[in-house]
Amino acid sequence: MSRKTFGRGCSRCSGTPSIRTDMARLPATTSGEEIDVNQADASRRLRLILRIDGWSTAVFGVVMLAAGPALSGPLGLPTAWSVPFGVAMLGGAAALGLIAGYPRIPPRHAAFVVAGNALSCVALLLLAFSGLIPLTGLGVAFLLAGALVVAVYAARSNSPACAG
């Protein structure tokens, strides 16, 4: 691995940046602060996951709003349920987009995303199996697929590769 330090002069170089090769680090600023390459990669991965999560949530929300009445019959999901789900999904997508846009994603925001996805997974599973909604077989499969997707997002957002 290599370690690079920019923005600090060395005595041999008359104030020019020095380069060291002992650890994987990259410059964060010209004042000599450094960030770990692995931390930067994890931050990029988390940001990408949040953006994909946000876009897929937005698409799901639009589908629930626009096609809710048409999907009511095949899924057994009443329009009275699909509209609030769609609105909630659009709100969640907006929150994910905002969080992904932070220059540095605060750990509490990342934890909020993981908790929100985990809670969504549990809620979808409960709705699929509780009998609260008169779902068809396709409706149950639809909610189970949604539960699987948000479980994957929760796991990927909380993975050690994304820990910063």
Side-chain angles (χ1 to χ4, degrees):
M1 294 190 227
S2 68
R3 180 177 175 159
K4 297 179 181 180
T5 305
F6 292 90
R8 294 184 198 170
C10 74
S11 59
R12 294 176 293 168
C13 304
S14 303
T16 58
S18 62
I19 299 176
R20 295 183 300 208
T21 58
D22 57 351
M23 298 187 81
R25 298 203 172 258
L26 290 176
T29 66
T30 57
S31 65
E33 295 176 27
E34 300 169 348
I35 60 171
D36 190 329
V37 172
N38 295 331
Q39 182 181 0
D41 287 345
S43 180
R44 278 191 292 272
R45 279 191 294 272
L46 177 58
R47 192 174 311 282
L48 176 64
I49 291 166
L50 292 175
R51 286 184 176 141
I52 293 169
D53 189 358
W55 279 106
S56 64
T57 301
V59 168
F60 182 71
V62 168
V63 167
M64 294 305 294
L65 288 172
L71 292 174
S72 180
L75 299 179
L77 183 65
T79 305
W81 283 77
S82 63
V83 170
F85 283 165
V87 170
M89 294 294 106
L90 291 177
L96 288 164
L98 289 172
I99 293 169
Y102 276 93
R104 182 183 172 282
I105 299 170
R108 71 178 189 277
H109 289 7
F112 176 76
V113 170
V114 171
N117 279 330
L119 184 62
S120 295
C121 176
V122 170
L124 289 169
L125 291 172
L126 287 174
L127 286 174
F129 295 117
S130 70
L132 182 64
I133 302 173
L135 297 170
T136 64
L138 185 59
V140 171
F142 181 74
L143 291 185
L144 292 177
L148 176 63
V149 168
V150 293
V152 168
Y153 285 137
R156 293 301 298 164
S157 299
N158 196 36
S159 72
C162 292

